[in-house]
Amino acid sequence: MKPRPKCWECEVCYKRYDCKARLDQHFTLHTGEQPFPCPKCPKRLRTKRAYDIHLRVHSGEKKHKCPICDKSFLVKYTLKRHFMTHTGEKPFMCDVCEKRFPTKAQLQGHFLQHTGNFPECNICHKKLASSDSLRLHMNSHGERKYKCVLCDKKYRSSIILRTHFLTHIRLFHCEICDKRYKWKADLVIHQKLHKLELLHKCEVCGKLFEKRCDLLTHWQIHKDERPYVIHVRKIVEENVS
């Protein structure tokens, strides 16, 4: 089957496409248009495919699963990049020093070390490590056009707005007491408190043990100490009476 001729041309960069739909999608790169708003958060997406993938963030759906470690991912590309951590594959090689990288983006970032041609901000002349970093940096010079729909606070970038938006919701909840937290790190700390409640404590020195048999073994070091004798006697009385 012959490829379709690329007869649709972008008026800005002259890139050509084989159908008008792809040209229209490409043109949003120049206009900054994001016609697909997420119904669950303030984020807007440039393409329908990006919109569908983003919705999986809220649903928790990760249908691309690694066959080696069972880790799951939202998109197939991320799975392929992760899979290289198992295979050690690095298909992209630097022409200057022959160092290899698993992704093209990493190679491009590395190559700037040889050329010194780092992207530069045309306002403050700061040099950035990549074009993505430059794009994020440029937001610091612009107006605060990203507005939170819950508290009306405004931010210069959609990434900062999304981070702020999480302060209004509590995503992570404890399965034991159902307490909720904004950040996973706070939930992990909280869960450790539940673990402490389940531990067995030595009444002599205060040391904690996960298993009661380990506590009984530990008591042997206190066998010549008066508190140990009193505590063992108390246990015997509780179980005999």
Short mmCIF file of all heavy atoms in Angstrom, two decimals, residues 108-158:
data_model
loop_
_atom_site.label_atom_id
_atom_site.label_comp_id
_atom_site.label_asym_id
_atom_site.label_seq_id
_atom_site.Cartn_x
_atom_site.Cartn_y
_atom_site.Cartn_z
N GLN A 108 19.60 14.12 23.36
CA GLN A 108 19.58 15.52 22.96
C GLN A 108 20.04 16.42 24.11
O GLN A 108 20.79 17.38 23.90
CB GLN A 108 18.18 15.92 22.50
CG GLN A 108 17.78 15.27 21.18
CD GLN A 108 16.33 15.52 20.82
OE1 GLN A 108 15.50 15.80 21.67
NE2 GLN A 108 16.02 15.40 19.53
N GLY A 109 19.60 16.10 25.33
CA GLY A 109 20.03 16.87 26.49
C GLY A 109 21.53 16.74 26.72
O GLY A 109 22.22 17.71 27.03
N HIS A 110 22.05 15.52 26.55
CA HIS A 110 23.48 15.28 26.70
C HIS A 110 24.29 16.01 25.64
O HIS A 110 25.37 16.56 25.91
CB HIS A 110 23.76 13.78 26.63
CG HIS A 110 25.18 13.44 26.31
ND1 HIS A 110 26.19 13.46 27.26
CD2 HIS A 110 25.78 13.09 25.13
CE1 HIS A 110 27.34 13.13 26.69
NE2 HIS A 110 27.12 12.91 25.41
N PHE A 111 23.79 16.03 24.41
CA PHE A 111 24.53 16.60 23.29
C PHE A 111 24.82 18.09 23.49
O PHE A 111 25.81 18.63 22.99
CB PHE A 111 23.75 16.39 21.99
CG PHE A 111 24.58 16.63 20.76
CD1 PHE A 111 25.59 15.75 20.41
CD2 PHE A 111 24.37 17.75 19.96
CE1 PHE A 111 26.38 15.96 19.28
CE2 PHE A 111 25.14 17.96 18.83
CZ PHE A 111 26.15 17.07 18.49
N LEU A 112 23.96 18.76 24.26
CA LEU A 112 24.18 20.18 24.53
C LEU A 112 25.48 20.41 25.31
O LEU A 112 26.06 21.49 25.24
CB LEU A 112 22.99 20.75 25.32
CG LEU A 112 21.65 20.81 24.57
CD1 LEU A 112 20.55 21.27 25.51
CD2 LEU A 112 21.75 21.75 23.38
N GLN A 113 25.94 19.39 26.04
CA GLN A 113 27.19 19.53 26.79
C GLN A 113 28.38 19.67 25.83
O GLN A 113 29.38 20.30 26.18
CB GLN A 113 27.40 18.31 27.69
CG GLN A 113 26.33 18.15 28.76
CD GLN A 113 26.55 16.89 29.59
OE1 GLN A 113 27.58 16.23 29.49
NE2 GLN A 113 25.57 16.54 30.41
N HIS A 114 28.26 19.11 24.65
CA HIS A 114 29.34 19.22 23.66
C HIS A 114 29.26 20.52 22.87
O HIS A 114 30.28 21.14 22.57
CB HIS A 114 29.29 18.03 22.69
CG HIS A 114 29.50 16.71 23.34
ND1 HIS A 114 30.65 16.37 24.01
CD2 HIS A 114 28.68 15.62 23.43
CE1 HIS A 114 30.56 15.14 24.47
NE2 HIS A 114 29.37 14.66 24.14
N THR A 115 28.05 20.92 22.53
CA THR A 115 27.88 22.11 21.69
C THR A 115 27.85 23.40 22.49
O THR A 115 28.21 24.47 21.99
CB THR A 115 26.58 22.01 20.88
OG1 THR A 115 25.46 21.99 21.78
CG2 THR A 115 26.57 20.74 20.04
N GLY A 116 27.39 23.31 23.75
CA GLY A 116 27.23 24.52 24.56
C GLY A 116 26.08 25.39 24.08
O GLY A 116 25.89 26.52 24.56
N ASN A 117 25.30 24.86 23.15
CA ASN A 117 24.20 25.64 22.56
C ASN A 117 22.91 25.43 23.36
O ASN A 117 21.93 24.89 22.87
CB ASN A 117 24.00 25.21 21.11
CG ASN A 117 23.03 26.12 20.38
OD1 ASN A 117 22.84 27.27 20.76
ND2 ASN A 117 22.39 25.58 19.36
N PHE A 118 22.92 25.88 24.62
CA PHE A 118 21.76 25.70 25.48
C PHE A 118 20.67 26.71 25.12
O PHE A 118 20.97 27.86 24.77
CB PHE A 118 22.15 25.89 26.95
CG PHE A 118 23.04 24.80 27.48
CD1 PHE A 118 24.41 24.96 27.51
CD2 PHE A 118 22.50 23.61 27.93
CE1 PHE A 118 25.23 23.95 27.99
CE2 PHE A 118 23.30 22.60 28.42
CZ PHE A 118 24.68 22.76 28.44
N PRO A 119 19.38 26.32 25.21
CA PRO A 119 18.30 27.27 24.96
C PRO A 119 18.38 28.45 25.93
O PRO A 119 18.63 28.27 27.12
CB PRO A 119 17.04 26.43 25.22
CG PRO A 119 17.47 25.02 25.07
CD PRO A 119 18.90 24.97 25.52
N GLU A 120 18.19 29.66 25.41
CA GLU A 120 18.36 30.87 26.23
C GLU A 120 17.06 31.67 26.28
O GLU A 120 16.38 31.85 25.27
CB GLU A 120 19.48 31.73 25.65
CG GLU A 120 19.77 32.98 26.46
CD GLU A 120 20.95 33.76 25.91
OE1 GLU A 120 21.95 33.12 25.52
OE2 GLU A 120 20.86 35.00 25.86
N CYS A 121 16.75 32.15 27.46
CA CYS A 121 15.57 33.01 27.64
C CYS A 121 15.86 34.37 27.01
O CYS A 121 16.89 34.99 27.30
CB CYS A 121 15.25 33.17 29.12
SG CYS A 121 13.95 34.38 29.46
N ASN A 122 14.97 34.83 26.13
CA ASN A 122 15.21 36.11 25.44
C ASN A 122 14.83 37.32 26.29
O ASN A 122 14.96 38.45 25.85
CB ASN A 122 14.44 36.15 24.11
CG ASN A 122 12.94 35.95 24.31
OD1 ASN A 122 12.44 35.97 25.43
ND2 ASN A 122 12.24 35.75 23.22
N ILE A 123 14.39 37.07 27.52
CA ILE A 123 14.05 38.18 28.43
C ILE A 123 15.14 38.41 29.46
O ILE A 123 15.67 39.51 29.61
CB ILE A 123 12.70 37.91 29.12
CG1 ILE A 123 11.58 37.82 28.07
CG2 ILE A 123 12.39 39.02 30.14
CD1 ILE A 123 10.23 37.46 28.64
N CYS A 124 15.52 37.34 30.18
CA CYS A 124 16.56 37.49 31.22
C CYS A 124 17.87 36.84 30.81
O CYS A 124 18.84 36.88 31.57
CB CYS A 124 16.07 36.89 32.54
SG CYS A 124 15.88 35.09 32.51
N HIS A 125 17.91 36.20 29.63
CA HIS A 125 19.12 35.58 29.05
C HIS A 125 19.65 34.41 29.88
O HIS A 125 20.82 34.06 29.78
CB HIS A 125 20.22 36.63 28.88
CG HIS A 125 19.78 37.80 28.03
ND1 HIS A 125 19.48 37.67 26.70
CD2 HIS A 125 19.55 39.10 28.36
CE1 HIS A 125 19.11 38.85 26.22
NE2 HIS A 125 19.12 39.73 27.20
N LYS A 126 18.78 33.83 30.68
CA LYS A 126 19.18 32.63 31.43
C LYS A 126 19.22 31.44 30.48
O LYS A 126 18.36 31.29 29.61
CB LYS A 126 18.19 32.36 32.57
CG LYS A 126 18.58 31.16 33.42
CD LYS A 126 17.61 30.99 34.59
CE LYS A 126 18.02 29.81 35.46
NZ LYS A 126 17.11 29.63 36.62
N LYS A 127 20.24 30.58 30.62
CA LYS A 127 20.35 29.39 29.78
C LYS A 127 19.76 28.19 30.50
O LYS A 127 20.01 27.97 31.68
CB LYS A 127 21.81 29.14 29.41
CG LYS A 127 22.38 30.20 28.47
CD LYS A 127 23.75 29.82 27.96
CE LYS A 127 24.25 30.84 26.94
NZ LYS A 127 25.56 30.46 26.37
N LEU A 128 18.96 27.42 29.77
CA LEU A 128 18.28 26.26 30.33
C LEU A 128 18.79 24.97 29.71
O LEU A 128 19.34 24.98 28.61
CB LEU A 128 16.77 26.37 30.12
CG LEU A 128 15.99 27.38 30.97
CD1 LEU A 128 16.18 27.14 32.45
CD2 LEU A 128 16.32 28.82 30.61
N ALA A 129 18.58 23.86 30.41
CA ALA A 129 19.12 22.57 29.97
C ALA A 129 18.39 22.00 28.76
O ALA A 129 18.96 21.22 28.00
CB ALA A 129 19.07 21.57 31.12
N SER A 130 17.13 22.37 28.57
CA SER A 130 16.37 21.82 27.45
C SER A 130 15.28 22.80 27.03
O SER A 130 14.99 23.76 27.73
CB SER A 130 15.73 20.49 27.85
OG SER A 130 14.75 20.69 28.85
N SER A 131 14.67 22.52 25.87
CA SER A 131 13.59 23.37 25.39
C SER A 131 12.38 23.30 26.30
O SER A 131 11.65 24.28 26.47
CB SER A 131 13.21 22.97 23.96
OG SER A 131 12.86 21.60 23.91
N ASP A 132 12.15 22.13 26.90
CA ASP A 132 11.04 21.99 27.85
C ASP A 132 11.27 22.86 29.08
O ASP A 132 10.35 23.52 29.58
CB ASP A 132 10.88 20.53 28.28
CG ASP A 132 10.30 19.67 27.17
OD1 ASP A 132 9.63 20.24 26.28
OD2 ASP A 132 10.51 18.45 27.18
N SER A 133 12.52 22.88 29.56
CA SER A 133 12.85 23.73 30.71
C SER A 133 12.69 25.20 30.36
O SER A 133 12.23 26.00 31.19
CB SER A 133 14.29 23.46 31.16
OG SER A 133 14.46 22.13 31.56
N LEU A 134 13.05 25.55 29.15
CA LEU A 134 12.89 26.94 28.71
C LEU A 134 11.42 27.33 28.66
O LEU A 134 11.05 28.43 29.10
CB LEU A 134 13.52 27.13 27.33
CG LEU A 134 13.32 28.51 26.69
CD1 LEU A 134 13.94 29.61 27.56
CD2 LEU A 134 13.91 28.55 25.28
N ARG A 135 10.59 26.43 28.15
CA ARG A 135 9.16 26.72 28.06
C ARG A 135 8.55 26.94 29.45
O ARG A 135 7.76 27.86 29.66
CB ARG A 135 8.44 25.57 27.34
CG ARG A 135 6.97 25.85 27.09
CD ARG A 135 6.38 24.90 26.09
NE ARG A 135 6.55 23.51 26.45
CZ ARG A 135 7.38 22.67 25.84
NH1 ARG A 135 8.13 23.10 24.84
NH2 ARG A 135 7.47 21.42 26.21
N LEU A 136 8.95 26.11 30.41
CA LEU A 136 8.46 26.29 31.78
C LEU A 136 8.99 27.59 32.38
O LEU A 136 8.29 28.31 33.09
CB LEU A 136 8.89 25.10 32.65
CG LEU A 136 8.20 23.77 32.35
CD1 LEU A 136 8.81 22.67 33.19
CD2 LEU A 136 6.71 23.87 32.62
N HIS A 137 10.27 27.89 32.10
CA HIS A 137 10.88 29.11 32.63
C HIS A 137 10.19 30.36 32.10
O HIS A 137 10.00 31.34 32.84
CB HIS A 137 12.36 29.15 32.25
CG HIS A 137 13.00 30.49 32.48
ND1 HIS A 137 13.37 30.94 33.73
CD2 HIS A 137 13.32 31.49 31.60
CE1 HIS A 137 13.89 32.15 33.62
NE2 HIS A 137 13.87 32.51 32.35
N MET A 138 9.78 30.35 30.85
CA MET A 138 9.14 31.52 30.25
C MET A 138 7.84 31.88 30.95
O MET A 138 7.43 33.05 30.96
CB MET A 138 8.86 31.26 28.76
CG MET A 138 10.12 31.19 27.90
SD MET A 138 11.13 32.69 27.97
CE MET A 138 10.03 33.86 27.16
N ASN A 139 7.23 30.89 31.59
CA ASN A 139 6.00 31.17 32.34
C ASN A 139 6.25 32.10 33.52
O ASN A 139 5.34 32.81 33.96
CB ASN A 139 5.39 29.86 32.86
CG ASN A 139 4.79 29.02 31.74
OD1 ASN A 139 4.27 29.56 30.78
ND2 ASN A 139 4.89 27.71 31.86
N SER A 140 7.49 32.12 34.02
CA SER A 140 7.80 33.00 35.16
C SER A 140 7.78 34.47 34.76
O SER A 140 7.67 35.35 35.61
CB SER A 140 9.17 32.64 35.75
OG SER A 140 10.22 32.91 34.82
N HIS A 141 7.89 34.75 33.47
CA HIS A 141 7.86 36.13 33.00
C HIS A 141 6.45 36.57 32.56
O HIS A 141 6.20 37.76 32.39
CB HIS A 141 8.81 36.31 31.81
CG HIS A 141 10.25 36.08 32.14
ND1 HIS A 141 10.93 36.82 33.08
CD2 HIS A 141 11.13 35.17 31.67
CE1 HIS A 141 12.17 36.39 33.16
NE2 HIS A 141 12.33 35.38 32.31
N GLY A 142 5.59 35.59 32.36
CA GLY A 142 4.26 35.91 31.83
C GLY A 142 3.25 36.25 32.91
O GLY A 142 3.53 36.23 34.11
N GLU A 143 2.05 36.54 32.47
CA GLU A 143 0.97 36.87 33.39
C GLU A 143 0.44 35.59 34.04
O GLU A 143 0.63 34.50 33.53
CB GLU A 143 -0.16 37.56 32.62
CG GLU A 143 -0.78 36.69 31.53
CD GLU A 143 -1.96 37.37 30.88
OE1 GLU A 143 -2.68 38.08 31.59
OE2 GLU A 143 -2.14 37.19 29.66
N ARG A 144 -0.23 35.76 35.18
CA ARG A 144 -0.82 34.63 35.89
C ARG A 144 -2.19 34.32 35.29
O ARG A 144 -3.22 34.76 35.80
CB ARG A 144 -0.93 34.94 37.38
CG ARG A 144 0.41 35.14 38.06
CD ARG A 144 0.25 35.60 39.51
NE ARG A 144 1.52 35.80 40.14
CZ ARG A 144 2.14 34.90 40.91
NH1 ARG A 144 1.57 33.73 41.12
NH2 ARG A 144 3.32 35.16 41.45
N LYS A 145 -2.18 33.55 34.20
CA LYS A 145 -3.42 33.32 33.46
C LYS A 145 -4.11 32.00 33.83
O LYS A 145 -5.20 31.72 33.34
CB LYS A 145 -3.14 33.34 31.96
CG LYS A 145 -2.17 32.28 31.49
CD LYS A 145 -1.96 32.39 29.98
CE LYS A 145 -0.99 31.32 29.47
NZ LYS A 145 -0.78 31.41 28.01
N TYR A 146 -3.46 31.18 34.70
CA TYR A 146 -4.07 29.91 35.09
C TYR A 146 -4.74 30.08 36.45
O TYR A 146 -4.08 30.24 37.47
CB TYR A 146 -3.01 28.80 35.14
CG TYR A 146 -2.37 28.54 33.79
CD1 TYR A 146 -1.19 29.18 33.42
CD2 TYR A 146 -2.96 27.68 32.89
CE1 TYR A 146 -0.62 28.96 32.18
CE2 TYR A 146 -2.39 27.44 31.64
CZ TYR A 146 -1.23 28.08 31.30
OH TYR A 146 -0.66 27.85 30.07
N LYS A 147 -6.05 30.05 36.46
CA LYS A 147 -6.84 30.37 37.64
C LYS A 147 -7.47 29.13 38.26
O LYS A 147 -8.04 28.29 37.56
CB LYS A 147 -7.93 31.38 37.27
CG LYS A 147 -8.79 31.85 38.42
CD LYS A 147 -9.82 32.86 37.92
CE LYS A 147 -10.72 33.33 39.04
NZ LYS A 147 -11.74 34.31 38.57
N CYS A 148 -7.36 29.01 39.58
CA CYS A 148 -7.98 27.90 40.30
C CYS A 148 -9.49 28.13 40.35
O CYS A 148 -9.94 29.21 40.76
CB CYS A 148 -7.39 27.79 41.71
SG CYS A 148 -8.19 26.50 42.72
N VAL A 149 -10.26 27.12 39.99
CA VAL A 149 -11.72 27.26 39.95
C VAL A 149 -12.35 27.20 41.34
O VAL A 149 -13.53 27.49 41.50
CB VAL A 149 -12.34 26.16 39.06
CG1 VAL A 149 -11.91 26.34 37.62
CG2 VAL A 149 -11.98 24.76 39.57
N LEU A 150 -11.55 26.84 42.34
CA LEU A 150 -12.08 26.71 43.70
C LEU A 150 -11.79 27.90 44.60
O LEU A 150 -12.62 28.26 45.44
CB LEU A 150 -11.53 25.43 44.35
CG LEU A 150 -11.90 24.11 43.66
CD1 LEU A 150 -11.27 22.93 44.37
CD2 LEU A 150 -13.41 23.94 43.61
N CYS A 151 -10.61 28.52 44.43
CA CYS A 151 -10.27 29.63 45.33
C CYS A 151 -9.85 30.90 44.59
O CYS A 151 -9.49 31.89 45.21
CB CYS A 151 -9.16 29.21 46.29
SG CYS A 151 -7.55 28.97 45.50
N ASP A 152 -9.89 30.88 43.25
CA ASP A 152 -9.58 32.04 42.43
C ASP A 152 -8.10 32.47 42.46
O ASP A 152 -7.76 33.53 41.93
CB ASP A 152 -10.45 33.25 42.80
CG ASP A 152 -11.91 33.02 42.45
OD1 ASP A 152 -12.15 32.18 41.56
OD2 ASP A 152 -12.78 33.65 43.04
N LYS A 153 -7.23 31.68 43.06
CA LYS A 153 -5.80 32.00 42.99
C LYS A 153 -5.32 31.80 41.56
O LYS A 153 -5.82 30.94 40.84
CB LYS A 153 -4.99 31.11 43.94
CG LYS A 153 -5.03 31.56 45.39
CD LYS A 153 -4.06 30.74 46.22
CE LYS A 153 -4.01 31.25 47.65
NZ LYS A 153 -3.04 30.49 48.47
N LYS A 154 -4.32 32.60 41.16
CA LYS A 154 -3.82 32.53 39.79
C LYS A 154 -2.34 32.16 39.78
O LYS A 154 -1.58 32.55 40.67
CB LYS A 154 -4.02 33.86 39.08
CG LYS A 154 -5.48 34.21 38.85
CD LYS A 154 -5.62 35.52 38.08
CE LYS A 154 -7.08 35.85 37.81
NZ LYS A 154 -7.22 37.12 37.05
N TYR A 155 -1.94 31.43 38.73
CA TYR A 155 -0.57 30.96 38.60
C TYR A 155 -0.08 31.15 37.17
O TYR A 155 -0.88 31.26 36.23
CB TYR A 155 -0.46 29.49 39.02
CG TYR A 155 -0.83 29.28 40.46
CD1 TYR A 155 -2.15 29.01 40.82
CD2 TYR A 155 0.12 29.39 41.47
CE1 TYR A 155 -2.50 28.84 42.16
CE2 TYR A 155 -0.21 29.23 42.80
CZ TYR A 155 -1.52 28.95 43.14
OH TYR A 155 -1.86 28.80 44.45
N ARG A 156 1.24 31.17 37.02
CA ARG A 156 1.84 31.41 35.70
C ARG A 156 1.88 30.16 34.83
O ARG A 156 2.02 30.26 33.63
CB ARG A 156 3.25 31.98 35.86
CG ARG A 156 3.29 33.38 36.44
CD ARG A 156 4.69 33.95 36.34
NE ARG A 156 4.77 35.31 36.83
CZ ARG A 156 5.14 35.66 38.05
NH1 ARG A 156 5.46 34.71 38.92
NH2 ARG A 156 5.19 36.91 38.42
N SER A 157 1.82 28.97 35.43
CA SER A 157 1.89 27.75 34.63
C SER A 157 0.82 26.76 35.08
O SER A 157 0.39 26.77 36.24
CB SER A 157 3.27 27.11 34.73
OG SER A 157 3.42 26.42 35.96
N SER A 158 0.42 25.90 34.14
CA SER A 158 -0.60 24.90 34.44
C SER A 158 -0.07 23.84 35.41
O SER A 158 -0.82 23.27 36.19
CB SER A 158 -1.07 24.22 33.15
OG SER A 158 0.03 23.61 32.48
#
